Amino acid sequence: MRFKVIFNTFGIILKFVSLLFILPPCFAIFYKEYSSILPFLTAGIITLGLGFLFGLNDASEKDIDNITRTEAFAALTGVWIMFGLVCTIPLLFFGLTPINALFEAFSGVSTTGATILEDFSIYPKTFFIYRALMQWFGGMGIIVLFIAVMPKFAVAGRKMFYAETPNPLDEKITPRVRYTAGWLWSIYILLTIIHLILMKIQGLDLYDSICISLSTVSAGGFSNSPTSLIGYSSSLVWICGIFAFIAGLNFLLCYRVLIQGKISEIFKSEEFRTYFFLVLFFTLSISLILFSAENIPVKDALRNAFFETAATITSTGAYSDDYSQWPLRGKVLIFILMFIGGSAISASGSIKITRWIFIFKFIKRELNKIVHPNAIIPIKLEGRIVQNENGYQILIFVLFFIAIFALSTIIVTFIEQNSVVAITGSIATLSNTGPGLDNIIGPLGNYNSLSNFTKLIFIFNMLIGRLEIIPFLALLNKELWQKRGN
């Protein structure tokens, strides 16, 4: 492991990240909230200084471009940690304690959407726009953005790109990773603009339109209102639900449909068909529960069921109803959705549908091999054979996802003496969903009352959930730190 390469990579990306702190002061000036300028200028200067500090070594461009897979994992993990830390700085100026600022920042950059805020009225508009921007940049990925606009390090960028956007099939939409990253961000920006325009058409002002659009397209869930979308018009909730659904789509599929015009790819995609069926099934199931148990009108039951299904399966975490007050059957379905996730290479978190498809096919194959032990039965996803290396990685991912969830649940149960908070908080943060399923950390609650140690555990969950575990697990292998890999 060449630490000088890792630190130099930190330095280059931190210099780039420092430029992002220019945006909030622009909104502060627009809304005449001049006292909100200093926090972001300070953060930008500190981030830029750290960038130069990490770059004070003799690592050359050739060294960085020859980065190994292990070093790419280390750089990716370190960059996300540093990104969360520097995003914490402005929040300290708004009166948040260090641990609460850290929680809010990592919740933002990981697009978890869990919050410690209790009184939303004491913060300026710039503060909430900043929270939305953290989610938006975190949604597609800071490394993907860096590669799209800074193509200088082609080989290093490719390895970090595929570490940040894992895909079991290693699909590529363009021959060069820079163009892939550029197209992904172009689609992401286009969806954001369309969503913002639709919010304006619904009668929202620019401020609300920006906050909701950035939060929804990024599958983030932060809101500038303590009640999220509760009380908004039915048509607005439907629009946000549709865009939450889109945020969970595979962006490579979006590229083929929107840019290449291959409409038929939608129906050929096994991942999309499964995703669509799951959303439809859970929407109808939840709406039936709400209609029969709560006597809610059919149209309202369908609206809330669809929105909560789309928001939960994609880990968006926004809400149009307080589902912590739903019948137990409805809450169980929401809990299950937290484990599913959206498509690969999307803004969503959790395990994700492609991995679940593989798991079920793997189980089916092993059952068949009991009867036909000598049979060679390859597993296919999207019509392509999954290589053994990728298959093992999927199994390891799911195993450690469940293990981390279980361990987190056990520890938090002992700390908080509340099993519901422990169970739902652990999966809500690990899957980057946000709200839990009880009154304390549910849709209308917050994480502020939890102990600092619990918050640190949940911060850890949010980070490795956003990294999709594998880069973190790779760094735990002692051999990878002792010798250069591939």
Side-chain angles (χ1 to χ4, degrees):
M1 182 74 71
R2 297 170 299 167
F3 287 100
K4 65 178 183 179
V5 173
I6 305 301
F7 291 150
N8 207 314
T9 304
F10 287 174
I12 294 169
I13 296 179
L14 283 175
K15 291 175 188 175
F16 168 72
V17 169
S18 68
L19 299 175
L20 304 182
F21 288 106
I22 296 175
L23 293 175
C26 295
F27 286 101
I29 293 172
F30 179 79
Y31 288 111
K32 298 180 181 180
E33 297 173 345
Y34 302 115
S35 61
S36 297
I37 296 176
L38 180 61
F40 304 104
L41 290 183
T42 303
I45 292 171
I46 293 175
T47 305
L48 184 62
L50 287 172
F52 280 108
L53 184 63
F54 277 114
L56 293 176
N57 60 64
D58 58 350
S60 64
E61 291 184 13
K62 183 178 179 181
D63 289 331
I64 297 175
D65 222 24
N66 289 331
I67 194 170
T68 67
R69 188 182 183 190
T70 305
E71 291 163 350
F73 281 145
L76 175 66
T77 304
V79 164
W80 275 96
I81 292 173
M82 294 302 300
F83 185 38
L85 290 175
V86 297
C87 284
T88 301
I89 298 171
L91 300 178
L92 296 172
F93 285 80
F94 291 96
L96 274 66
T97 64
I99 189 67
N100 280 353
L102 199 67
F103 186 95
E104 200 77 5
F106 273 93
S107 181
V109 300
S110 66
T111 69
T112 301
T115 185
I116 51 81
L117 300 185
E118 293 180 313
D119 185 359
F120 281 52
S121 66
I122 64 176
Y123 302 102
K125 291 181 177 179
T126 306
F127 175 85
F128 291 105
I129 290 177
Y130 172 64
R131 290 167 83 238
L133 285 169
M134 281 195 296
Q135 292 180 124
W136 193 72
F137 284 112
M140 181 54 67
I142 197 67
I143 299 297
V144 178
L145 176 60
F146 171 73
I147 294 168
V149 300
M150 298 283 287
K152 193 175 184 180
F153 304 107
V155 178
R158 184 182 305 115
K159 292 183 178 179
M160 293 181 70
F161 174 85
Y162 290 114
E164 186 176 55
T165 57
N167 184 7
L169 296 179
D170 295 328
E171 293 179 273
K172 303 175 180 64
I173 55 176
T174 61
R176 297 177 63 180
V177 71
R178 176 200 173 187
Y179 296 137
T180 300
W183 275 117
L184 290 178
W185 265 95
S186 297
I187 294 170
Y188 192 58
I189 293 171
L190 176 63
L191 291 173
T192 306
I193 293 173
I194 294 173
H195 192 291
L196 192 151
I197 293 172
L198 291 175
M199 291 298 95
K200 287 291 294 178
I201 292 174
Q202 288 296 310
L204 296 186
D205 59 21
L206 182 62
Y207 165 64
D208 288 324
S209 299
I210 290 173
C211 290
I212 292 176
S213 299
L214 295 180
S215 179
T216 305
V217 174
S218 65
F222 269 158
S223 176
N224 56 318
S225 167
T227 56
S228 192
L229 297 182
I230 294 177
Y232 281 90
S233 68
S234 180
S235 57
L236 185 144
V237 172
W238 276 106
I239 291 171
C240 289
I242 291 171
F243 273 86
F245 176 84
I246 293 173
L249 290 174
N250 190 314
F251 280 96
L252 298 188
L253 179 64
C254 292
Y255 170 83
R256 295 189 183 98
V257 174
L258 297 176
I259 307 303
Q260 296 181 333
K262 299 179 179 178
I263 307 297
S264 61
E265 291 287 328
I266 295 178
F267 308 101
K268 292 179 181 178
S269 173
E270 182 179 26
E271 181 183 50
F272 175 79
R273 293 197 306 270
T274 305
Y275 178 45
F276 181 83
F277 170 77
L278 286 171
V279 172
L280 180 62
F281 172 79
F282 278 89
T283 296
L284 294 177
S285 299
I286 293 174
S287 61
L288 181 61
I289 292 171
L290 295 179
F291 174 73
S292 60
E294 299 291 311
N295 200 28
I296 297 175
V298 174
K299 64 176 183 179
D300 294 335
L302 278 172
R303 179 195 66 226
N304 289 333
F306 169 69
F307 182 83
E308 299 305 341
T309 296
T312 306
I313 197 172
T314 62
S315 73
T316 301
Y319 48 92
S320 62
D321 193 22
D322 183 8
Y323 51 77
S324 68
Q325 302 302 314
W326 285 1
L328 179 61
R329 289 172 295 170
K331 290 191 286 188
V332 168
L333 292 180
I334 291 293
F335 182 70
I336 293 171
L337 284 168
M338 292 182 182
F339 285 90
I340 298 177
S343 307
I345 311 185
S346 68
S348 69
S350 198
I351 293 175
K352 295 188 176 176
I353 288 169
T354 298
R355 294 189 179 101
W356 281 118
I357 294 174
F358 175 86
I359 293 297
F360 283 110
K361 288 187 174 183
F362 177 83
I363 293 173
K364 180 181 178 181
R365 184 184 71 175
E366 295 307 304
L367 291 175
N368 287 334
K369 289 181 73 173
I370 294 175
V371 181
H372 307 286
N374 297 322
I376 299 176
I377 310 173
I379 297 177
K380 293 184 178 181
L381 292 176
E382 304 295 347
R384 298 168 60 186
I385 296 176
V386 179
Q387 300 300 317
N388 287 337
E389 179 183 355
N390 291 337
Y392 294 145
Q393 186 168 299
I394 292 173
L395 294 175
I396 291 171
F397 175 93
V398 176
L399 174 64
F400 274 92
F401 188 96
I402 300 300
I404 293 169
F405 161 69
L407 182 61
S408 174
T409 297
I410 292 170
I411 296 174
V412 175
T413 298
F414 277 102
I415 296 172
E416 302 295 334
Q417 297 294 300
N418 187 321
S419 59
V420 178
V421 167
I423 294 171
T424 64
S426 294
I427 187 58
T429 50
L430 184 59
S431 66
N432 301 138
T433 301
L437 289 175
D438 75 332
N439 293 329
I440 299 175
I441 59 172
L444 296 181
N446 60 76
Y447 287 72
N448 188 50
S449 63
L450 304 183
S451 73
N452 286 343
F453 192 55
T454 296
K455 291 174 185 175
L456 288 174
I457 292 172
F458 286 163
I459 289 171
F460 173 78
N461 284 357
M462 290 187 282
L463 176 63
I464 60 175
R466 179 58 183 85
L467 290 173
E468 300 209 22
I469 298 176
I470 298 300
F472 172 77
L473 293 179
L475 300 181
L476 298 181
N477 190 330
K478 185 178 179 181
E479 293 183 3
L480 294 180
W481 292 83
Q482 294 176 335
K483 62 181 181 180
R484 293 190 58 170
N486 296 322

